[in-house]
Amino acid sequence: MGEPEPVRKTHMNIVIIGHVDSGKSTTTGQLIYQCGGLEPRLLEKLEAAASQAGKGSFKFAWVLDKLKAERERGITIDISLWRLHTRRFSLTIIDAPGHRDFIKNMLTGTSQADAAVLMVSAAPGEFEAGVSRQGQTREHALLAYTLGVKQLLLCVNKMDLAEPPYSQRRFEEVVRGVSLYLRRIGYSPAAVPCVPVSGWTGENVTLPSSKMPWFRGWKVKRKEGFGKGQTLLEALDSLLPPVRPSNKPLRVPLQDVYKIGGFNVKNIAVKNLRRGHVAGNSRSDPPAAAAHFIAQVIILNHPGFIKAGYSPVVDCHTAHVTCQFAELFEKIDRRSGEKLEDNPSVLKSGDSATVRLVPKKPLCVERFFDYPPLGRFAARDLKQTVAVGVIKSVEKKPASITRKQAQKALLIK
């Protein structure tokens, strides 16, 4: 008799988000190491290289930060991926940049995630910087929710740098502050595990920490039931498996393009494929560029007034395309959904409205009801998120090639 086949674990994508310098890459590297996903010899090489560069505390971060510029500047620039196996799941960890200059890459990673770990620093001043108007803690949490990431973990990091170290009071202060904002944007704090850790020293990442005896563990209350545990690893294992819409026509947003076998596109030059394109089945409702689309938007943070003709960058799935607010149809009440005003002349921060947007370059979007990941978006301008929206309807451009040509164009091996 042959050996029984190993049980296939459910796959999930987890994105690590948060303000710059909150310790996302270091904690992720420590998690991978403690779970046996990193050879000790490789860690020794990273430790030696980091020490030689005068950045000894970055050895775990360098597991994921491989670019020369990332290591020199001490920040994550592009997203990086790493596979990790837990008791319940096969995880793809997506380490996202925290610096606001690279938020486009953060959005690309978050658009692919089933759940997010929001990393917040407990170090003096760092929590406060992250939740300030210029900080990325609030914006990253909002963008995760907007892009459809409904499961969230709160990881309070750098507990070794709290005053005093591993302070219960500081942990509770951070949790209170973040929970208020999470509730405001749509998350239920009762369903969010809150875990104190130190990514650098490894406390409470995979094993309970003796340095925080006051922490009795996290508890969550979801409509699917209760959950509890002690460590970050247990919090990851408590996530609910994602439901994949396997009965719908195929949609595959492209993140990067390589000359490799496996997934293969025939009769299309590599130079004509790029991030933001969407692949599908040419015989079953193939994806198409939008001529324009109707969306319900909420204006979050704009210093002036938005009029017809305003053209911010729209981030939807892996695409980043400038779109014009061509028409402002009606202003509506954010809570009740009732119409307040027809054809408003301007919109300002706090307003909710139905608008028509016209992409300046080819962009594939869908109704949120049909394809949620392709139906929610963020609008960015002035280095900040000025609005978020949900797509109600799409007018697609007519296909520029024949069905026979399309059938030849895309082959999935």
Side-chain angles (χ1 to χ4, degrees), residues 340-362:
L340 299 176
E341 180 184 349
D342 280 317
N343 305 117
S345 58
V346 297
L347 300 174
K348 62 182 186 303
S349 294
D351 285 345
S352 181
T354 303
V355 302
R356 181 170 70 90
L357 292 107
V358 178
K360 295 293 187 71
K361 292 182 178 180

Side-chain angles (χ1 to χ4, degrees), residues 269-343:
V270 170
K271 65 180 181 180
N272 294 327
L273 290 172
R274 58 183 58 91
R275 177 182 289 186
H277 287 181
V278 176
N281 187 337
S282 61
R283 300 180 183 180
S284 177
D285 186 25
H292 55 83
F293 56 96
I294 309 297
Q296 182 176 325
V297 298
I298 298 174
I299 310 303
L300 299 174
N301 192 22
H302 193 278
F305 296 100
I306 290 175
K307 300 180 180 181
Y310 177 61
S311 300
V313 174
V314 164
D315 298 298
C316 185
H317 55 90
T318 60
H320 315 286
V321 174
T322 299
C323 294
Q324 183 185 73
F325 279 53
E327 292 181 76
L328 312 182
F329 289 127
E330 59 183 24
K331 190 186 296 185
I332 56 180
D333 185 273
R334 288 176 59 174
R335 291 171 178 80
S336 67
E338 294 180 1
K339 182 168 64 173
L340 299 176
E341 180 184 349
D342 280 317
N343 305 117

Side-chain angles (χ1 to χ4, degrees), residues 227-286:
K228 62 180 182 179
Q230 183 82 17
T231 65
L232 173 60
L233 181 61
E234 289 174 322
L236 291 170
D237 251 342
S238 76
L239 292 168
L240 301 173
V243 178
R244 309 292 188 199
S246 57
N247 60 333
K248 293 186 177 181
L250 179 68
R251 292 291 186 273
V252 183
L254 304 189
Q255 176 184 312
D256 288 304
V257 179
Y258 304 95
K259 285 188 176 181
I260 57 173
F263 189 94
N264 196 17
V265 179
K266 296 286 189 181
N267 302 327
I268 299 179
V270 170
K271 65 180 181 180
N272 294 327
L273 290 172
R274 58 183 58 91
R275 177 182 289 186
H277 287 181
V278 176
N281 187 337
S282 61
R283 300 180 183 180
S284 177
D285 186 25

Side-chain angles (χ1 to χ4, degrees), residues 16-28 58 61 65 74-76 95-99 117-123 125-131 135-138 140 154-161 174 178 195 197-200:
I16 315 296
I17 59 176
H19 189 62
V20 65
D21 286 336
S22 59
K24 298 182 294 296
S25 297
T26 292
T27 304
T28 303
F58 284 78
D65 292 342
I75 60 173
T76 300
D95 184 38
H99 198 287
V117 175
L118 179 61
M119 198 74 64
V120 181
S121 172
E126 292 189 3
F127 161 64
E128 290 75 12
V131 296
Q136 297 298 284
T137 300
R138 294 184 178 200
H140 279 205
L154 174 58
C155 189
V156 182
N157 192 24
K158 299 192 180 182
M159 288 299 295
D160 56 311
L161 297 181
V174 171
V178 176
V195 190
V197 307
S198 168
W200 171 238

